[in-house]
Amino acid sequence: VSFRTIRDLLRHLWREQKWFFIPFILILLVIGVVLAATSGAAYVAPFVYSIF
Amino acid sequence: VSAVLGVSCDYHDAAAALVIDGRIVAAVQEERFSRIRFDSSLPTHAMQWCLRFGGITAADLDRVVFYENPYAHQTRVMSWSLKTWPRGLRMFPRAMRSQLSSKLWVLDRIASSLGIDRTRVTHVAHHRSHAASAFYCSPFSKAGVLTLDGVGDSETTSLSIGHGDSLKQAWSQDFPHSIGLLYAAITAWLGFRVNDGEYKVMGLAAFGEPKFRSELGKVLRIEGDASFSIDVSYLGHLVDPDLGFGPKLEKLLGRRRSPSKPWDLADAEDKRYADIASSLQSLTEEVVVGLARRARAMAGVSELCMAGGVALNCVANALVAAEGPLYVHPAAGDAGGALGAAIIGAMELGDPRPEYLSSVALGPVPDTSRAADVARHLGFSTAYVDPVQEASDRIGRGEVIGWVQGRTEWGPRSLGHRSILADPSLPDTRDRVNRTVKQRELFRPFAPVVSAQSFGSYFEGEPDLLTPFMCTVRNVKPSVALAAVTHVDGTARVQSVDSGPLVPLLERLPVLLNTSLNAAGDPIATSEIDALSFLHARPIDALIIDDLLVTRP
């Protein structure tokens, strides 16, 4: 995870007046970090499907 | 003065291009190294080769420019996930996983791969990269610029005005209204592989008649100003990444064609499929010609530049070129975006606009001595020869030869550096090369290559900015017999040559069949090893690598 990329993405969303995506993307990023931290590649599909 | 590397990847054909002091030094697709056709992965081999060829290291790069805005792409994916809810359920997890695990971080991945600071990696908008590849590589000082593809960032089509060093977008069409995605959807419905089969649809169209324009007109609505809209309910790419078209399209056009069924264009069912291909091609031409007129009008000049995957549709290009000067970037697809991005980066750093790109010989050269060693090890016979004399003698005897000379071509076409050459006047050459050498559909035509001086003897019109790069079609003169390269509609995707390794050969044999040195599904041969592998696997009669002749014992 690159903080520069996260910062640039958030700036892009703000500039494009799509700020309402910011909480959405932050939640997704947290999920991504959790999956990465738990080596959860094998769980990606059922985990994400169970939420969405 | 600067050194700028342009990069494209993650979607279609990954590539790298190096511009030093405003001069295009090197450009090559990743597939040429990885041997995976249309390889979209991070182009580590291509980037490193460009740096080696340019005699620099990554530390010497002033900037690396990615050809697309990853944040705009991420935003589009999220927006459409919500807009298509809940139908997009199947797409959403895959899209998010792909984005968040890899694509969003592409600038970091590039920096990490090159071992440079992340601050030196920037990006430009997708269609601006395409527009830059078209305008800045053209010979025009002022031109309208039209870009069309499937989708890049959030746009599918753009019109810009190029003037000197300036390139300003004047209009764009947003996803999902995309002529490229419609063409891809029908390509899939016809049983061809998307991103590869569009050429086949274009060739198939000549066997049909546009009887289904009104049906396809329900999917594609063309407005008076040449803008267009797509009824996405017929397509599946918003909700199904695998299929690309929806059940509504099958209700409209009938059942999809089985990919495994051989084509028989004498059969009524396959003729109907050809009619639908012809209808799609007809509508595509109407859109492209209409947008081209609009771009020329916006710019106030007749000169026009085009890029984006749809600009590889050489039948549509021929219609656009009939209305005024046209330049199409030879690598019009996503690979070309890498070069456009590099040029933008270099010009932002103060370098001049590059000179007209008159040659696409921008890739690696073969190692002839290594080729000789490996060929002998494989049991082939080798000899050093006069390549022009040897090739002309063999082609004159009706042989089909592999021809590897100098630097690999940039873009999807073999233009005389990595080619299969044969006599185009022999009627059975087309079937032989299609059936046994290339192993592809028999209806697909081959392209001729002709010297610029002899062009008028065989084809209608004169060479232009498209003919050197095989980006257009011309009528074959009825008085000449070029059976192997004349399509069913009497046209040919002709290449004219006035420089490069084919010139001396074309002084002896003024017109040749020229097709890429690869089998169906493989990338074009790049190295001497790729070429020898092709000779080993396919029944060509001989292979000439620079001045090395390789034959079976």
Side-chain angles (χ1 to χ4, degrees):
Chain A
V1 173
S2 156
F3 291 106
R4 183 185 175 91
T5 293
I6 294 171
R7 185 198 67 188
D8 289 348
L9 173 62
L10 297 180
R11 277 183 180 168
H12 173 84
L13 292 170
W14 192 262
R15 196 168 50 241
E16 297 293 313
Q17 298 182 325
K18 298 203 171 169
W19 47 265
F20 46 89
F21 274 131
I22 291 175
F24 184 43
I25 197 77
L26 288 175
I27 291 168
L28 287 171
L29 285 169
V30 169
I31 291 169
V33 170
V34 169
L35 288 173
T38 57
S39 304
Y43 304 102
V44 165
F47 183 60
V48 176
Y49 268 107
S50 67
I51 291 176
F52 299 101
Chain B
V1 295
S2 64
V4 179
L5 188 70
V7 178
S8 67
C9 66
D10 279 352
Y11 300 99
H12 301 299
D13 34 354
L18 180 64
V19 175
I20 298 179
D21 300 345
R23 194 169 55 88
I24 299 166
V25 171
V28 66
Q29 295 107 298
E30 182 69 4
E31 65 163 24
R32 304 300 170 87
F33 300 99
S34 69
R35 310 308 299 159
I36 300 168
R37 190 160 165 86
F38 303 127
D39 190 352
S40 64
S41 60
L42 189 71
T44 51
H45 300 93
M47 291 191 296
Q48 292 298 338
W49 177 83
C50 284
L51 296 177
R52 279 199 307 277
F53 189 86
I56 62 173
T57 67
D60 301 319
L61 288 168
D62 295 285
R63 190 178 287 184
V64 180
V65 188
F66 186 59
Y67 82 127
E68 173 156 304
N69 181 341
Y71 313 121
H73 189 101
Q74 173 73 38
T75 307
R76 195 237 314 154
V77 170
M78 289 190 296
S79 297
W80 279 94
S81 295
L82 292 178
K83 283 178 185 172
T84 56
W85 187 270
R87 291 182 302 124
L89 182 68
R90 187 175 163 209
M91 179 82 99
F92 182 73
R94 291 175 59 165
M96 280 298 121
R97 185 167 54 169
S98 168
Q99 284 293 312
L100 295 178
S101 67
S102 175
K103 290 175 180 173
L104 177 62
W105 317 101
V106 64
L107 307 185
D108 306 288
R109 288 158 51 214
I110 291 169
S112 174
S113 172
L114 290 169
I116 61 174
D117 193 274
R118 168 70 171 76
T119 55
R120 277 195 280 163
V121 185
T122 63
H123 62 82
V124 294
H126 183 104
H127 279 266
R128 183 164 167 76
S129 296
H130 277 317
S133 75
F135 178 61
Y136 292 132
C137 292
S138 81
F140 304 139
S141 58
K142 187 175 185 186
V145 185
L146 168 60
T147 65
L148 304 111
D149 64 7
V151 59
D153 299 338
S154 61
E155 296 170 338
T156 67
T157 312
S158 78
L159 299 179
S160 303
I161 298 170
H163 192 183
D165 290 352
S166 159
L167 180 62
K168 289 184 180 164
Q169 190 181 92
W171 174 85
S172 66
Q173 177 88 290
D174 273 352
F175 180 85
H177 304 295
S178 164
I179 196 72
L181 286 177
L182 173 63
Y183 214 99
I186 303 293
T187 296
W189 180 83
L190 286 166
F192 299 120
R193 187 180 153 201
V194 171
N195 292 329
D196 187 23
E198 284 81 354
Y199 296 114
K200 303 177 189 179
V201 176
M202 189 179 70
L204 180 65
F207 289 89
E209 295 168 44
K211 296 176 178 173
F212 291 86
R213 270 186 63 105
S214 60
E215 284 83 352
L216 281 174
K218 293 175 183 171
V219 187
L220 171 68
R221 182 189 168 103
I222 304 172
E223 308 294 343
D225 63 353
S227 63
F228 57 89
S229 58
I230 302 280
D231 183 343
V232 292
S233 65
Y234 287 96
L235 307 184
H237 55 257
L238 291 176
V239 293
D240 187 339
D242 297 323
L243 203 53
F245 57 87
K248 198 173 169 184
L249 190 77
E250 287 196 288
K251 279 186 188 163
L252 179 72
L253 299 178
R255 188 168 173 73
R256 77 191 78 166
R257 193 181 185 282
S258 168
S260 57
K261 187 183 166 199
W263 282 89
D264 176 10
L265 288 162
D267 176 73
E269 193 181 3
D270 276 353
K271 180 70 170 55
R272 184 176 181 277
Y273 285 119
D275 288 340
I276 290 167
S278 174
S279 307
L280 173 67
Q281 178 65 27
S282 171
L283 286 167
T284 301
E285 289 165 9
E286 186 177 334
V287 169
V288 174
V289 169
L291 288 169
R293 286 177 186 155
R294 194 170 157 191
R296 284 171 164 141
M298 274 182 179
V301 293
S302 59
E303 285 76 12
L304 179 73
C305 303
M306 285 172 56
V310 179
L312 291 169
N313 191 311
C314 51
V315 180
N317 292 349
L319 298 175
V320 175
E323 298 187 353
L326 173 65
Y327 173 82
V328 174
H329 185 78
D334 274 10
L339 180 53
I343 293 170
I344 290 170
M347 292 178 68
E348 284 177 353
L349 290 170
D351 279 334
R353 174 183 165 168
E355 292 181 359
Y356 166 53
L357 185 68
S358 59
S359 168
V360 291
L362 295 171
V365 292
D367 182 336
T368 310
S369 62
R370 184 171 179 232
D373 290 344
V374 175
R376 284 191 283 270
H377 184 72
L378 290 171
F380 290 124
S381 301
T382 60
Y384 286 95
V385 297
D386 173 350
V388 172
Q389 180 71 48
E390 189 69 27
S392 62
D393 288 349
R394 287 179 174 273
I395 294 168
R397 295 199 296 266
E399 292 189 5
V400 176
I401 66 163
W403 175 258
V404 176
Q405 301 287 317
R407 297 182 71 179
T408 309
E409 299 93 340
W410 166 237
R413 313 268 195 242
S414 279
L415 299 171
H417 297 257
R418 299 291 185 278
S419 292
I420 295 169
L421 302 176
D423 183 346
S425 65
L426 300 175
D428 65 343
T429 301
R430 173 165 160 168
D431 279 357
R432 180 190 165 195
V433 179
N434 256 337
R435 199 186 297 272
T436 65
V437 178
K438 303 277 285 188
Q439 293 186 322
R440 59 183 206 176
E441 296 83 359
L442 292 179
F443 68 80
R444 293 178 62 189
F446 287 109
V449 57
V450 65
S451 64
Q453 299 93 318
S454 301
F455 190 95
S457 304
Y458 296 91
F459 306 98
E460 290 183 0
E462 297 293 321
D464 60 14
L465 293 170
L466 303 183
T467 53
F469 307 113
M470 219 184 267
C471 285
T472 188
V473 295
R474 291 292 179 83
N475 287 325
V476 180
K477 288 196 167 175
S479 56
V480 299
L482 296 175
V485 293
T486 306
H487 202 25
V488 66
D489 58 359
T491 65
R493 189 159 45 89
V494 60
Q495 177 197 359
S496 66
V497 167
D498 59 8
S499 63
L502 283 177
V503 168
L505 185 55
L506 290 168
E507 286 170 1
R508 296 168 185 242
L509 302 167
V511 60
L512 294 168
L513 178 152
N514 174 20
T515 187
S516 53
L517 187 63
N518 65 331
D522 291 340
I524 296 171
T526 297
S527 71
E528 62 286 343
I529 303 300
D530 304 334
L532 289 168
S533 299
F534 187 83
L535 174 67
H536 185 71
R538 304 288 171 179
I540 56 174
D541 297 301
L543 175 66
I544 298 174
I545 303 175
D546 288 340
D547 58 352
L548 176 72
L549 172 69
V550 186
T551 54
R552 291 183 181 80

